[in-house]
Amino acid sequence: MSNHKIVKCNKLAEKIHEYWVHAPLVANKHRAGQFVIIRSHEHGERIPLTVVGTDKERGLVRLIVQEAGKSTTEMAELKAGDHFQDVVGPLGMPTHMDKWGTLIAIAGGVGAAPLRPIIQAAKEAGNEVCAIIGARTKELMILEDEFRDVCDEVRVCTDDGSYGTKGLVTDMLQAWVDEGKHFDQAIIVGPVMMMKFTSLLTKKLEIPALASLNPIMVDGTGMCGACRVTVHGETKFACVDGPEFDAHGVDFDELNLRNQAYRKQEKVALAEWEHHCNIGLKTKGAVEHAE
């Protein structure tokens, strides 16, 4: 059995789960911005996940997972005491940390998770750290309290206006700048199209920006080429050259198309898994009733 025991798990929001997993080698070496590749069982899919935090003394890493396809939905069935088959890492380049001045961290949805260790490191490096957290609705807002504990100021918005300001993160950034706030650096994490339009706005506002990219990834070591992205016209591998790149040079439209390449297969795999699960539950219920 794997020694990657799930010590603690928690549901943060609808279909968003937190795990504290025993992985002492990763916990000891991890730096902000790096990720791991996990498999939940022997025949499981390899999934890249940002390390959201560590407990070096206990040898634990913190992972936050959003149910999206078959593998992440299957992972949601795990509980404390279960094990991950593999936790490989830390992988990727750590965030280049500098004393920029005032950093604006912009999160869309579960993008707040990868930003959590970065804002901590930026604060410890001596920066003023501000943040914008956006979500579709109040129920999907995560880590707000942790951001407020670290940042000098945090503003939140929701698409439907159910919490914070109604609107998009780009609306909030523009409004903040219009108030006279100056930002020296931006870091953007979230859905591809959110990163695209936020990147365009930061370029217009002349704010240097980094984007943490989330392409399809397989081996995580630069060998398969699945995670290739185009940055300033050059091909880069997110797993070894990133995951963070100059946001103003990323071809987000290409990234979006590549991320949709297996959407049909993902839907089929999820539907088949759910079908088998439903059959299993019905069979179990019938046996229990017969007994």
Side-chain angles (χ1 to χ4, degrees):
M1 176 179 286
S2 165
N3 68 340
H4 300 301
K5 182 179 180 179
I6 299 172
V7 176
K8 179 182 178 182
C9 61
N10 183 41
K11 187 174 182 179
L12 299 180
E14 183 64 29
K15 296 190 175 183
I16 302 176
H17 307 271
E18 171 193 55
Y19 303 90
W20 282 94
V21 184
H22 187 253
L25 296 178
V26 178
N28 187 52
K29 294 291 186 179
H30 165 263
R31 293 169 62 190
Q34 292 183 299
F35 64 95
V36 292
I37 296 280
I38 68 100
R39 284 194 305 160
S40 57
H41 56 81
E42 184 178 0
H43 302 290
E45 179 185 6
R46 295 166 61 86
I47 303 173
L49 296 171
T50 299
V51 176
V52 182
T54 61
D55 182 337
K56 289 183 170 59
E57 290 186 4
R58 298 173 65 196
L60 305 179
V61 297
R62 184 189 188 193
L63 307 174
I64 292 179
V65 184
Q66 183 175 36
E67 295 178 46
K70 179 254 185 182
S71 295
T72 48
T73 303
E74 185 179 40
M75 193 185 304
E77 299 291 315
L78 297 174
K79 57 187 182 299
D82 290 335
H83 294 72
F84 282 131
Q85 180 71 26
D86 302 315
V87 179
V88 179
L91 301 170
M93 298 291 291
T95 302
H96 172 70
M97 201 53 60
D98 203 347
K99 193 168 182 178
W100 295 294
T102 301
L103 171 71
I104 179 66
I106 308 171
V110 79
L115 272 175
R116 174 62 182 86
I118 294 173
I119 61 172
Q120 182 74 46
K123 190 64 178 175
E124 292 173 356
N127 293 284
E128 177 187 6
V129 181
C130 300
I132 298 171
I133 309 175
R136 292 200 309 274
T137 185
K138 179 181 179 179
E139 287 71 28
L140 296 176
M141 183 76 61
I142 64 170
L143 306 184
E144 180 189 351
D145 289 344
E146 294 186 32
F147 269 66
R148 293 194 184 279
D149 288 341
V150 174
C151 297
D152 295 273
E153 187 173 355
V154 177
R155 298 187 180 186
V156 298
C157 59
T158 50
D159 294 358
D160 63 1
S162 57
Y163 187 63
T165 301
K166 182 176 183 179
L168 306 176
V169 293
T170 47
D171 300 326
M172 185 150 286
L173 176 60
Q174 183 67 64
W176 212 339
V177 171
D178 289 343
E179 292 171 15
K181 185 67 175 178
H182 174 77
F183 298 111
D184 299 290
Q185 178 70 42
I187 297 182
I188 309 163
V189 191
V192 174
M193 288 296 100
M194 167 266 176
M195 290 193 289
K196 173 185 176 179
F197 289 107
T198 307
S199 172
L200 289 172
L201 179 57
T202 56
K203 186 174 183 179
K204 174 186 172 184
L205 297 173
E206 299 183 343
I207 304 171
L210 295 172
S212 182
L213 304 186
N214 54 349
I216 292 170
M217 193 177 293
V218 179
D219 72 277
T221 61
M223 297 183 67
C224 72
C227 68
R228 62 187 182 273
V229 294
T230 301
V231 184
H232 292 298
E234 297 183 1
T235 298
K236 301 289 184 180
F237 291 166
C239 65
V240 291
D241 299 318
E244 293 166 9
F245 297 95
D246 177 3
H248 300 162
V250 174
D251 187 335
F252 286 105
D253 291 328
E254 177 191 64
L255 173 60
N256 191 49
L257 284 173
R258 288 184 57 80
N259 279 1
Q260 296 181 40
Y262 301 102
R263 193 63 52 86
K264 180 179 179 180
Q265 290 88 337
E266 290 172 353
K267 288 181 178 179
V268 170
L270 177 59
E272 290 180 348
W273 180 79
E274 290 176 336
H275 176 68
H276 290 308
C277 286
N278 288 334
I279 291 176
L281 287 173
K282 290 177 181 178
T283 302
K284 180 181 178 182
V287 170
E288 291 175 346
H289 180 73
E291 292 175 348

